[in-house]
Amino acid sequence: MIERQVVCADLSRSIDDLHRDGFRLEVIYPADEPHTALLSKGRESVRLTSRPDLPPLGEDLEPFVAEFAVTRSGASPGHGRAGMLYRDLIPGRLGGRYIASHIFIPQGGPVGDWVHFHRLVLQMIYVRRGWVRVVYEDQGEPFVMREGDLVLQPPEIRHRVLESSPGLEVIEISAPALHPTFAEHQLQLPNGYNPHRQFGRQRFLHHIAARSGWASVAGAEVQETQVSSASSGLADVRTMRRGEGSSIEFDPHRGELVFGFVLSGEARLEFGGEHHLRAADSFVIPPDESWSLSTMSPDFSLLHVATSMLD
């Protein structure tokens, strides 16, 4: 294989130029504001990059760096992979360990995606607004995810986003923060149904909110998921909303990530002071620390994610 590197100012335009010359995309990263891609044609490969100053993509997890952060809504999203818009929800990336993105597809309709997979440790997607039709390896025919639904995407499962409603919004959380997306040129989807297949000790999970009940827990109503068992204990994900009380106390978490995204309403986060939260705000709490939410509005709801030690 003969490989050459080309430094470009516009990665998307350079990829299109190589496509016209018969090259096909093999790898691209990161998903939010991509800067590097590998394309091939026969025995020739081209590494395109708009960031030649960055080191090559590593294979090891970066050390976890705990921090407290509140990210406010309203920031303009950047252009990501397959024409999607990405808003960064953890700008510090916790040492490069995690990325959380608020992803938008404003227009809806068919999505310019292709069958692909990601090389990572953990990834989940939660629908905040709208609907999206997707298809996954060994998971049968394409299906629609709606508000409150989520999927746990095990490492390297092949999948594709097919179409969406106008105004689709999803929350995506992945580890590590920087990971490659590989194009899959051989496998066609759908490819059958094998719900018990394991991908790196994890199994695919599709949580359907409309089929799941709510339980009262310490002043809140909670909708649990099966992410913990599907991920072999790597993560736990739940949707929470105000119950009979107007405050919730959270015990210290014995793991790594503690992440919250305000789906609707308002509340006050109490951790090292008071922080007024509004819809589409997000926050990260360091592990081994207690915290609370108070003065929740009647329509308050929260996506709450916690992970164990990924090492």
Side-chain angles (χ1 to χ4, degrees):
M1 181 72 72
I2 302 172
E3 182 175 327
R4 58 189 172 94
Q5 176 169 291
V6 175
V7 177
C8 58
D10 188 325
L11 184 71
S12 180
R13 180 175 297 177
S14 297
I15 290 174
D16 290 342
D17 289 343
L18 286 175
H19 277 160
R20 285 190 285 270
D21 288 339
F23 284 79
R24 71 181 189 182
L25 181 69
E26 302 291 350
V27 184
I28 189 169
Y29 63 90
D32 63 319
E33 300 189 63
H35 56 65
T36 301
L38 182 68
L39 296 91
S40 70
K41 182 174 71 172
R43 293 181 53 82
E44 185 180 2
S45 68
V46 176
R47 182 179 185 270
L48 290 174
T49 183
S50 60
R51 292 295 307 275
D53 55 309
L54 296 179
L57 187 65
E59 296 185 1
D60 296 329
L61 276 173
E62 298 289 341
F64 174 70
V65 177
E67 69 168 319
F68 168 69
V70 175
T71 303
R72 301 298 183 181
S73 63
S76 298
H79 290 276
R81 193 190 63 79
M84 304 177 194
L85 302 179
Y86 284 69
R87 183 169 73 89
D88 195 352
L89 300 178
I90 311 179
R93 305 292 172 87
L94 304 180
R97 190 75 137 196
Y98 294 94
I99 181 172
S101 303
H102 187 186
I103 304 174
F104 305 80
I105 301 182
Q107 300 303 319
V111 177
D113 198 13
W114 59 90
V115 180
H116 65 279
F117 63 97
H118 310 289
R119 187 160 293 163
L120 38 61
V121 176
L122 181 69
Q123 187 170 58
M124 56 142 289
I125 296 175
Y126 180 99
V127 179
R128 184 194 182 208
R129 287 179 178 166
W131 58 262
V132 59
R133 193 163 72 95
V134 292
V135 62
Y136 284 87
E137 180 181 4
D138 286 338
Q139 306 306 315
E141 295 299 313
F143 59 88
V144 173
M145 297 174 61
R146 304 184 187 278
E147 183 175 322
D149 293 354
L150 71 82
V151 292
L152 177 74
Q153 295 186 170
E156 301 194 17
I157 188 172
R158 275 60 174 171
H159 57 284
R160 182 183 178 188
V161 181
L162 300 172
E163 62 178 324
S164 80
S165 65
L168 173 71
E169 297 182 31
V170 304
I171 310 303
E172 181 180 274
I173 299 175
S174 307
L178 183 59
H179 56 267
T181 295
F182 292 84
E184 171 59 68
H185 300 295
Q186 303 302 321
L187 183 67
Q188 300 295 314
L189 297 180
N191 71 321
Y193 186 59
N194 181 11
H196 303 296
R197 181 176 172 186
Q198 297 281 311
F199 298 81
R201 297 185 61 237
Q202 299 181 44
R203 62 177 173 84
F204 176 81
L205 172 70
H206 176 202
H207 168 82
I208 303 175
R211 300 180 186 173
S212 303
W214 294 81
S216 296
V217 179
E221 291 187 342
V222 177
Q223 185 178 89
E224 300 284 1
T225 69
Q226 297 180 13
V227 168
S228 181
S229 60
S231 66
S232 293
L234 286 183
D236 194 10
V237 181
R238 61 181 64 176
T239 303
M240 310 182 72
R241 65 190 185 192
R242 176 174 169 169
E244 294 182 356
S246 61
S247 64
I248 314 173
E249 301 286 338
F250 293 83
D251 294 329
H253 174 61
R254 310 298 182 186
E256 290 185 351
L257 180 68
V258 179
F259 172 83
F261 180 92
V262 180
L263 300 166
S264 62
E266 300 182 27
R268 185 171 64 207
L269 169 64
E270 297 183 13
F271 179 82
E274 297 181 353
H275 311 271
H276 188 179
L277 300 176
R278 297 178 176 85
D281 287 351
S282 61
F283 58 89
V284 176
I285 305 291
D288 300 316
E289 300 279 1
S290 59
W291 54 286
S292 67
L293 294 170
S294 62
T295 60
M296 295 181 291
S297 63
D299 60 341
F300 178 77
S301 62
L302 180 79
L303 171 64
H304 178 248
V305 179
T307 68
S308 64
M309 303 288 188
L310 297 191
D311 289 328

